[in-house]
Amino acid sequence: MAARTRRERTERTYLPGIADVRICGTEDTVKAVLDVLEREFRTTSARPYDNGQRAYLQLDTGCTDPDTD
């Protein structure tokens, strides 16, 4: 089986207090974890892939105030 070609990735930058999170599981599990993280932290919108069984997001570990936006 031939290896698939990797997609080109953009350069990553990191900010203090910001965590990059990757979640893997069933679609329901991923949704449940995202719901908790979004409730407890300020987060970016999750980028789902693999038909909802994985998601990437960032969260601010230094700020747990509710997002007022």
Side-chain angles (χ1 to χ4, degrees):
M1 177 180 234
R4 63 181 176 176
T5 304
R6 292 187 77 130
R7 63 187 159 96
E8 189 172 324
R9 296 183 181 181
T10 58
E11 184 66 28
R12 292 183 180 165
T13 57
Y14 298 95
L15 298 171
I18 302 297
D20 289 316
V21 179
R22 177 179 165 198
I23 301 169
C24 304
T26 66
E27 188 175 352
D28 290 338
T29 300
V30 170
K31 183 177 178 343
V33 171
L34 289 174
D35 288 346
V36 170
L37 291 175
E38 290 169 352
R39 187 171 56 240
E40 297 298 324
F41 296 96
R42 289 191 178 182
T43 68
T44 61
S45 297
R47 293 177 306 185
Y49 66 101
D50 277 354
N51 298 319
Q53 294 184 351
R54 298 176 193 257
Y56 281 114
L57 71 149
Q58 292 181 319
L59 60 88
D60 187 344
T61 60
C63 181
T64 57
D65 296 337
D67 190 359
T68 58
D69 292 343

